[in-house]
């Protein structure tokens, strides 16, 4: 119970990081359809941006997060449910007909990521899309990654083959937030802090994210703190 309170408090900090969230949404929105399964929705910070869709099923492995989603997103078009990608067969969802699966900063928490990708493929109709965002570059892996149970960070080279094995055709894959790499390296590899710094997050969101988005829109970076990959179920 205490761990749930701490986790939700950390997620609530990100409610105020609206510039970064909107930047992420702008990069992903063109690939998101109308019947959306969100895997690892947390408390719904990104889900809030999807309420114009015809159906949204935000899921999380934490019962406390699912309860939070039910309170926060009180809409007939939103149906929160519990789902653990480590044990997807226990999910009440069954096989569904979603046209989009959204999975943001979740796959790195799953030991068997190939199984998780296969499950997400099963939840899509043929031609449906996986909208995936993961942390990038293993040399950035450090104290915060360990503290929040990241098993790995990704590059195109080690992520895209796993998506292909799960019957996804790769539509596009690109990096995002190159400037964030410096802060992550400083906190993880130099300072070796055990949790994300809320003050730094707010500073980044207010003063850096808006102009970083404009620069990356004009000049797409060859690397970044995050990797976005879009797969279409074949």
């Amino acid at each position: 119970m205490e761990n749930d309170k701490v986790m939700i408090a950390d997620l609530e900090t990100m409610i105020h990081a609206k510039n970064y969230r909107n930047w992420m949404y702008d990069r992903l929105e063109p690939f998101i359809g109308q019947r959306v399964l969100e895997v690892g929705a947390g408390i719904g910070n990104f889900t809030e941006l999807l309420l114009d869709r015809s159906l949204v099923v935000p899921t999380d492995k934490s019962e406390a997060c699912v309860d939070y989603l039910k309170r926060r997103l009180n809409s007939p078009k939103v149906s929160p449910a519990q789902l653990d990608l480590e044990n997807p067969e226990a999910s009440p969802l069954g096989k569904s007909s979603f046209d989009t699966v959204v999975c943001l900063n979740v796959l790195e928490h799953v030991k068997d990521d190939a199984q998780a990708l296969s499950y997400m493929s099963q939840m899509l109709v043929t031609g449906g899309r996986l909208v995936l965002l993961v942390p990038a570059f293993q040399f950035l892996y450090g104290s915060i990654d360990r503290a929040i149970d990241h098993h790995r960070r990704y590059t195109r080279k080690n992520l895209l083959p796993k998506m292909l094995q799960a019957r996804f055709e790769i539509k596009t894959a690109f990096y995002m937030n190159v400037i964030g790499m410096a802060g992550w390296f400083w906190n993880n590899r130099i300072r070796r802090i055990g949790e994300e710094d809320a003050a730094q997050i707010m500073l980044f969101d207010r003063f850096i994210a808006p102009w970083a988005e404009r620069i990356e829109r004009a000049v797409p970076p060859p690397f970044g703190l995050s990797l976005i990959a879009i797969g279409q179920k074949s």
Side-chain angles (χ1 to χ4, degrees):
M1 183 67 70
E2 189 63 32
N3 287 341
D4 285 340
K5 290 180 180 179
V6 172
M7 173 186 62
I8 287 175
D10 289 341
L11 293 170
E12 286 177 330
T13 299
M14 295 303 296
I15 289 176
H16 306 292
K18 292 184 178 181
N19 288 322
Y20 181 75
R21 182 176 56 177
N22 290 338
W23 176 13
M24 189 164 58
Y25 178 77
D26 286 345
R27 301 308 312 269
L28 302 177
E29 192 278 334
F31 308 105
I32 300 174
Q34 289 297 314
R35 297 179 57 82
V36 181
L37 170 65
E38 185 181 3
V39 177
I43 60 172
N45 292 338
F46 190 82
T47 321
E48 264 195 336
L49 304 176
L50 304 176
L51 300 183
D52 60 338
R53 268 54 184 186
S54 61
L55 173 66
V56 181
V57 179
T59 68
D60 201 273
K61 70 176 184 179
S62 165
E63 185 177 358
C65 283
V66 174
D67 290 341
Y68 195 111
L69 289 166
K70 290 176 180 177
R71 295 192 302 270
R72 181 179 183 183
L73 306 172
N74 186 16
S75 166
K77 297 189 295 183
V78 179
S79 300
Q82 197 164 5
L83 169 65
D84 182 359
L85 280 180
E86 298 278 12
N87 187 26
E89 60 272 12
S91 166
L93 294 175
K95 290 189 178 181
S96 301
S97 55
F98 296 100
D99 60 33
T100 311
V101 172
V102 173
C103 181
L104 310 180
N105 289 318
V106 175
L107 192 64
E108 64 276 9
H109 293 275
V110 182
K111 288 182 181 179
D112 191 344
D113 54 354
Q115 174 185 270
L117 287 166
S118 178
Y119 172 78
M120 289 186 274
S121 177
Q122 293 171 28
M123 301 304 290
L124 287 165
V125 297
T126 300
R129 286 175 173 167
L130 170 63
V131 176
L132 184 63
L133 184 147
V134 293
F137 294 104
Q138 191 65 21
F139 78 87
L140 293 172
Y141 189 98
S143 55
I144 297 176
D145 293 282
R146 285 188 289 272
I148 59 179
D149 296 325
H150 284 180
H151 293 288
R152 67 196 77 81
R153 301 178 71 90
Y154 291 91
T155 61
R156 287 190 182 98
K157 186 176 180 179
N158 62 12
L159 177 62
L160 302 190
K162 293 180 180 182
M163 293 176 65
L164 290 170
Q165 289 175 0
R167 293 183 57 201
F168 287 111
E169 176 188 349
I170 309 302
K171 306 306 292 183
T172 188
F174 52 91
Y175 293 103
M176 171 185 169
N177 190 12
V178 64
I179 195 168
M181 297 176 74
W184 194 267
F185 185 85
W186 172 255
N187 286 331
N188 270 263
R189 304 299 303 274
I190 306 301
R191 293 179 66 200
R192 298 183 180 180
I193 60 178
E195 61 183 8
E196 294 185 82
D197 187 319
Q200 282 187 5
I201 291 171
M202 293 302 102
L203 182 69
F204 176 88
D205 188 72
R206 183 176 180 183
F207 296 108
I208 300 176
W211 63 260
E213 177 185 8
R214 291 193 290 271
I215 291 173
E216 291 194 10
R217 188 175 297 277
V219 184
F223 41 79
L225 186 63
S226 297
L227 169 61
I228 292 170
I230 309 298
Q232 186 168 32
K233 182 176 177 178
S234 59

